[in-house]
Amino acid sequence: MSILFAASGFTASDWRPKIEAFAGGRAVAVHGEDDYDPAAIRYALVWKPPSGLLASLPKLEVAFNLGAGVDALAADPTLPDCPLVRAVEPDMTMRMTEWIVLQVLTHHRQALAYLDQQRSREWRDLDQPPASAVRVGMMGMGTLGSDAAEVLSRLGFQVAGWSRTPKTVDGVEMFSGDAGLDRFLRRTDILVVLLPLTDATRGILDAKLIGQLSQSNPLGPILINAGRGGLQNEADILAALKDGTLKGASLDVFNQEPLPATSPMWDAPNLILTPHVAAITDPVSTVGNIVAQMEAFEAGAPLKNVVDRGHGY
Ligand code: NDP
Ligand code: OXD
């Protein structure tokens, strides 16, 4: 029985040797490069595989998604009914927290304004509130959001979180569900978004939501999204940046990726844009953990980080 690797946008030559090194004698096939018998595939390691590919593997037992977000897989109407395991990797969590903290501090410490001053050789200090006067709101308090929230709390920010289900998190004021959203947004100066893209969250970052953010901090509100582009209405964000409803934004994800060269987002004022790189998947730690899961599964242990198909994440 074999492992199939089918990950678009990933360099198979980086992954194949790692999978073979960990795979303990299991045969490894790379979709698009190797001939393989679909009926021999027991496990698939995937990232945005072609629609219908997983359905063509009659003996597939588990699909391991090489990213944390499973929206691309969920969009495949032929997705078979096997367990779908998503990536939950300490390395990915640390990379994401790094990116989030970088963006929060860039806006909080007015790095864009100082860069402008540097370009015009202007030596002038700007009013700087302490972190303790700034309210960060974390939309999505799962694996990634809760880690970034904890680090931002330690830096002194007033951190609140919003999740689907109610929960208690030390040092973080928690809100949940539709009922908690308005109060969460109204107390937020810097909104950080680490939500999955599901039917319930698609398009949530629109003009209405932006209009609910607090306008009481002179440096805010700021929007930071590393969740998914499908969460955001880019025209609304652009308009808010232009008219000052948003003082700044950082976006790592877009509705269309790569972002077309013609997109007006490239020229949006006070926008920091990165090309979906906030937290990449590291082959070494990921493959090691996936193979460890396969071995535990074969020994009868339950799989970890299985996606709840009903909720879509
Ligand atoms: P988790 O599944 O661990 O956490 C998701 C969080 O979102 C949970 O707190 C969940 O609430 C909350 N949530 C889900 N639906 C809703 C809703 N309808 N209303 C309110 N809250 C909701 O995911 P991760 O933290 O691991 O990852 C989050 C996302 O980050 C991924 O889905 C992916 O899209 C994105 N990502 C982006 C990367 C990048 O490089 N840009 C890299 C990795 C991930 P509850 O706690 O109640 O379940
Ligand atoms: C992920 C991503 O979901 O990289 O892991 O976007």
Side-chain angles (χ1 to χ4, degrees), residues 197-265:
L197 179 62
T198 67
D199 290 344
T201 61
R202 188 177 306 280
I204 191 169
L205 305 176
D206 62 3
K208 175 170 176 269
L209 178 142
I210 292 167
Q212 286 166 278
L213 293 167
S214 170
Q215 289 286 344
S216 69
N217 186 311
L219 299 180
I222 302 288
L223 170 66
I224 296 173
N225 181 21
R228 279 291 181 267
L231 300 168
Q232 71 204 10
N233 180 320
E234 280 153 24
D236 287 0
I237 294 171
L238 182 60
L241 285 167
K242 283 187 171 166
D243 71 16
T245 312
L246 276 177
K247 298 288 189 317
S250 295
L251 304 177
D252 182 56
V253 285
F254 293 86
N255 277 285
Q256 190 181 340
E257 296 180 1
L259 185 66
T262 52
S263 168
M265 298 307 279

Side-chain angles (χ1 to χ4, degrees), residues 81-116:
D81 194 23
C82 67
L84 187 56
V85 171
R86 70 187 195 91
V88 174
E89 296 288 334
D91 175 80
M92 181 188 281
T93 304
M94 283 190 288
R95 287 172 193 256
M96 182 57 86
T97 294
E98 223 175 68
W99 188 89
I100 297 292
V101 171
L102 172 68
Q103 304 310 322
V104 169
L105 291 180
T106 295
H107 293 286
H108 169 61
R109 296 306 302 253
Q110 307 176 72
L112 294 180
Y114 279 119
L115 202 55
D116 278 349

